[in-house]
Amino acid sequence: MTQHTIEVVSNEQRVFPPPEEFAKRAAVANYEQYRALYEQSIADPETFFGERKSELHWFKSPTQVLEWNPPFAKWFADGTLNLAYNCVDRHVQAGLGDKIAYVWEGEPGDIRKLSYAELQREVSRCANALESLGIVAGDRVGIYMGMVPEAAIAMLACARIGAIHSVIFGGFAAEAIADRLNDARAKAVITQDGTYRRGAAFPLKAQVDKALESVPSVEHVIVLERTRTPETSTELKPGRDHLWSQLVATASDVHEAKPFPAEHPLFILYTSGTTGKPK
């Protein structure tokens, strides 16, 4: 019997150092510093993450780092913070409001840049809009959108008010959407009329409409008008559906971020479901 061996050729050992000017501005200056941090995180994770907590904004600074009751772990359990505030507001407070926070380029080639201050206003509008619909901390919100800035704005807005978002892949059809919304017992869905794929417009809202025929928990749908084409046009269901341009864009751009426990759930992310029911 002939024996064969397989030579592994993907074990890359080369190191490519960054430009010196880039390295000077980096939080981790060199590979040696990175290795030291990594080794500390493995050898003494409680001290490592305890030191990292000072990099965040806390409404109530935690007095403990880790509660470890195998297999359950709680980090900074007695501290309160807000993820959206840490991602956006604290940079504005630090005087970086004019710095670019988000650069986006989509199909069919449109480009949008948002500064931290602009992003703060957009997230605040969306947070206020969600609260106007009765969405509160702990409610679940499905996000079925393409790769647009409003998807990130929606996620941050949910975090800002303590709602738990669940991103649903924009390529899923109605049955897969319904499965995830039902499991999460979602109260609202944020979607768009359609999205672009390889130059063509594909409907998204139509799939949501079909899915919601079997999802009784959803009370509200927010619709971003992205493509505005005949292929993606849908009717709005009175009392349930709201256009982003009428609900979110007209909301107040001032919103006070709420403190939440560090262990407060942020999102629900499901498996693909290719080998069974999504988990």
Side-chain angles (χ1 to χ4, degrees), residues 69-116:
N69 297 305
F72 303 104
K74 292 183 178 181
W75 291 91
F76 310 112
D78 64 338
T80 61
L81 75 171
N82 186 292
L83 182 138
Y85 190 99
N86 272 287
C87 288
V88 182
D89 299 58
R90 70 184 179 104
H91 300 298
V92 177
Q93 294 297 323
L96 302 176
D98 292 334
K99 296 290 184 180
I100 297 298
Y102 197 108
V103 179
W104 172 81
E105 181 177 355
E107 288 191 65
D110 39 347
I111 297 174
R112 187 176 176 190
K113 297 180 181 180
L114 289 172
S115 69
Y116 280 107

Side-chain angles (χ1 to χ4, degrees), residues 28 35 37 66 163 165 203 230 249:
V28 179
R35 286 300 306 183
L37 289 170
L66 173 64
H165 71 267

Side-chain angles (χ1 to χ4, degrees), residues 117-141:
E118 290 170 330
L119 184 59
Q120 182 186 46
R121 291 193 289 269
E122 293 298 325
V123 172
S124 293
R125 287 190 180 99
C126 191
N128 282 318
L130 290 170
E131 288 184 330
S132 74
L133 298 178
I135 305 300
V136 297
D139 286 340
R140 276 75 65 197
V141 177

Side-chain angles (χ1 to χ4, degrees), residues 191-213:
T191 187
Q192 54 194 74
D193 56 351
T195 188
Y196 290 107
R197 295 176 191 159
R198 298 181 180 179
F202 287 84
L204 293 184
K205 171 63 162 51
Q207 294 293 342
V208 171
D209 287 339
K210 187 174 180 181
L212 294 189
E213 293 175 4

Side-chain angles (χ1 to χ4, degrees), residues 166-169 172 175-177 179-181 183 267-279:
S166 182
V167 172
I168 301 172
F169 171 51
F172 281 151
E175 183 178 356
I177 300 168
D179 284 344
R180 289 157 176 79
L181 294 176
D183 187 81
F267 62 83
I268 301 172
L269 184 62
Y270 290 93
T271 60
S272 65
T274 53
T275 58
K277 187 177 177 59
K279 295 175 283 296

Side-chain angles (χ1 to χ4, degrees), residues 27-78:
V28 179
N30 51 56
Y31 181 71
E32 289 71 24
Q33 185 179 347
Y34 160 76
R35 286 300 306 183
L37 289 170
Y38 172 76
E39 295 296 341
Q40 183 194 13
S41 73
I42 299 299
D44 189 1
E46 192 164 348
T47 297
F48 175 82
F49 286 104
E51 293 173 350
R52 303 283 88 70
K53 77 174 183 179
S54 63
E55 299 174 8
L56 298 175
H57 170 274
W58 296 88
F59 290 97
K60 177 180 179 292
S61 183
T63 61
Q64 58 194 74
V65 177
L66 173 64
E67 289 183 18
W68 177 231
N69 297 305
F72 303 104
K74 292 183 178 181
W75 291 91
F76 310 112
D78 64 338

Side-chain angles (χ1 to χ4, degrees), residues 51 95 134 138 148 150 188 239 255 267 278:
E51 293 173 350
V148 292
E150 287 79 5
H255 183 275
F267 62 83

